[in-house]
């Protein structure tokens, strides 16, 4: 369809789709003026930090490649010669910082394995005991934050569906959905200031991996959010593509303004509607319409 609308939702990670820094520094509890146990929030945050780092190191080569951050997993794909890695020994290949083509290839191999593990999901990586620990921590965190995690996840589902009933859609591989109701395409993209590998692990641990594909996770750690936004525009842009950025920080706000995209600022305070639970597909649609108008073919919330 030449006139098909494509909506690209560009999400921040921390203090937007998930809560972590605000748990660790107490600012989340502080916003509730004594109604939340700040120490419990700190303890929950520390547990998440421990799991993120442990899984990054144990299963995603983070200990080896921590100082080799790239803005996305495909950044070195041209160096990957497609070698069968089933018997490859990543501990004995002499990998060092990728300043030359040989080590860029070795890093590309690691990125390929990371992408495959991401697609397989944590249930194919962790044992049952660890899965139970993770499940309990997720539930504890969601309860402590009044459903922030599950509400954010539900909105991601609705955005992909283009409808408040996320069952009214056809899922397409790669985290892209074409809505039956509107004929439009919907894509979730993550741009985080954190380094790439722990950010991918966060997506897995916070149950976002089936809503944001590994190709759509960007780390702005080295390059900045504006550069990531420009790459995303080049990748998805045509005359019927609409972009909207959602986050809590000044950098994504300024980057969105530079791109002339609508920006939704997430606010931790409990009386805000721009938080979770609170932010709705209708509100997101309103921000789209301010910048792009409300084309007859797009009818997301009716």
């Amino acid at each position: 369809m030449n006139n098909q609308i494509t909506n690209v939702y560009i999400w921040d990670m921390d203090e937007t789709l998930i809560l972590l820094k605000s748990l660790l520094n107490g600012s989340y509890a502080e916003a509730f003026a004594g109604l939340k146990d700040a120490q419990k929030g700190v303890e929950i945050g520390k547990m998440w930090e421990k799991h993120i780092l442990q899984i990054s190191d144990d299963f995603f080569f983070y200990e080896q490649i921590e100082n080799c951050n790239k803005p996305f997993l495909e950044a070195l794909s041209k160096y990957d010669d497609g070698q069968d890695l089933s018997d490859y020994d990543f501990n004995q290949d002499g990998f060092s910082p990728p300043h030359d083509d040989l080590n860029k290839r070795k890093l590309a191999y690691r990125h390929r394995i990371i992408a495959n593990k991401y697609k397989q999901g944590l249930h194919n990586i962790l044992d049952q005991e660890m899965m139970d620990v993770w499940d309990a921590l997720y539930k504890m965190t969601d309860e402590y934050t009044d459903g922030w995690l599950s509400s954010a996840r539900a909105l991601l589902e609705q955005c992909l569906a283009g409808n408040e009933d996320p069952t009214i859609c056809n899922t397409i591989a790669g985290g892209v959905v074409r809505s039956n109701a509107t004929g439009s395409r919907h894509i979730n993209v993550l741009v985080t200031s954190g380094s790439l590998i722990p950010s991918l692990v966060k997506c897995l641990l916070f149950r976002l991996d089936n809503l944001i594909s590994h190709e759509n996770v960007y780390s702005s750690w080295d390059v900045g959010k504006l550069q990531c936004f420009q790459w995303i525009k080049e990748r998805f842009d045509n005359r019927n593509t609409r972009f909207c950025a959602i986050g809590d920080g000044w950098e994504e706000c300024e980057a969105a303004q530079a791109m002339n995209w609508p920006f939704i600022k997430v606010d931790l305070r409990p009386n805000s509607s721009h938080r979770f639970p609170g932010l709705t597909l209708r509100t997101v649609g309103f921000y789209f319409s301010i910048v792009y108008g409300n084309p007859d073919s797009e009818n997301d919330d009716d």
Side-chain angles (χ1 to χ4, degrees):
M1 284 174 61
N2 293 332
N3 295 323
Q4 181 186 72
I5 296 286
T6 298
N7 285 334
V8 182
Y9 310 88
I10 297 129
W11 301 89
D12 180 38
M13 172 81 90
D14 287 345
E15 280 51 62
T16 299
L17 292 178
I18 72 168
L19 296 175
L20 186 56
K21 292 175 186 172
S22 62
L23 299 181
L24 288 163
N25 64 23
S27 59
Y28 175 78
E30 199 175 288
F32 285 81
L35 297 176
K36 292 281 184 186
D37 181 347
Q39 187 55 39
K40 182 177 181 181
V42 172
E43 290 167 3
I44 289 172
K46 286 181 177 177
M47 284 188 279
W48 278 114
E49 272 196 325
K50 175 188 169 188
H51 289 313
I52 291 162
L53 187 58
Q54 181 182 345
I55 292 170
S56 296
D57 283 344
D58 291 352
F59 302 103
F60 291 88
F61 306 111
Y62 190 53
E63 201 168 352
Q64 292 183 356
I65 66 176
E66 180 177 1
N67 296 318
C68 309
N69 190 61
K70 295 297 173 187
F72 48 93
L73 275 184
E74 306 296 316
L76 296 177
S77 59
K78 68 179 181 180
Y79 294 97
D80 189 341
D81 58 8
Q83 178 180 331
D84 181 357
L85 301 176
S86 52
D87 295 319
Y88 189 90
D89 189 343
F90 286 97
N91 293 316
Q92 300 294 329
D93 70 344
F95 173 74
S96 61
H99 302 308
D100 57 77
D101 287 1
L102 178 60
N103 280 295
K104 286 176 182 174
R105 181 179 302 124
K106 292 173 184 176
L107 183 54
Y109 287 167
R110 285 160 171 79
H111 283 176
R112 190 194 334 156
I113 295 293
I114 289 166
N116 287 336
K117 286 186 176 181
Y118 188 95
K119 285 186 282 190
Q120 291 166 3
L122 282 187
H123 62 282
N124 286 312
I125 297 172
L126 304 181
D127 60 29
Q128 190 56 52
E129 181 182 357
M130 192 64 204
M131 290 288 290
D132 291 343
V133 169
W134 165 48
D135 190 51
L137 179 57
Y138 185 94
K139 288 177 180 174
M140 182 197 306
T141 310
D142 204 41
E143 185 177 322
Y144 177 77
T145 60
D146 305 317
W148 188 291
L149 303 183
S150 54
S151 297
R153 197 178 182 286
L155 183 57
L156 281 176
E157 288 182 334
Q158 292 169 16
C159 286
L160 277 188
N163 196 290
E164 289 182 352
D165 179 359
T167 62
I168 309 178
C169 68
N170 289 330
T171 301
I172 300 173
V176 179
V177 167
R178 180 175 291 111
S179 166
N180 286 342
T182 66
S184 51
R185 293 172 73 240
H186 303 272
I187 304 164
N188 284 324
V189 179
L190 183 76
V191 178
T192 173
S193 56
S195 55
L196 182 62
I197 304 310
S199 298
L200 289 161
V201 170
K202 283 182 186 178
C203 284
L204 288 161
L205 283 169
F206 286 94
R207 304 180 180 178
L208 307 175
D209 50 302
N210 66 328
L211 300 169
I212 304 172
S213 66
H214 67 82
E215 301 98 329
N216 292 345
V217 176
Y218 291 79
S219 166
S220 64
W221 179 277
D222 300 296
V223 299
K225 295 211 168 182
L226 180 57
Q227 174 64 79
C228 291
F229 284 16
Q230 289 168 340
W231 283 331
I232 291 163
K233 186 176 192 299
E234 289 167 13
R235 183 177 160 204
F236 293 111
D237 197 25
N238 63 52
R239 66 188 183 88
N240 292 316
T241 302
R242 314 189 308 172
F243 300 88
C244 182
I246 307 104
D248 72 307
W250 63 268
E251 190 186 0
E252 54 262 32
C253 177
E254 289 187 353
Q257 288 176 342
M259 302 297 290
N260 294 314
W261 295 348
F263 175 71
I264 301 173
K265 183 166 181 12
V266 173
D267 185 348
L268 286 177
R269 291 174 296 182
N271 61 346
S272 169
S273 61
H274 288 43
R275 69 188 302 279
F276 296 107
L279 187 60
T280 66
L281 189 63
R282 186 174 296 277
T283 301
V284 176
F286 172 73
Y287 277 85
F288 268 119
S289 67
I290 289 174
V291 173
Y292 298 103
N294 192 18
D296 293 337
S297 60
E298 187 67 11
N299 202 17
D300 283 356
D301 287 322
D302 292 350

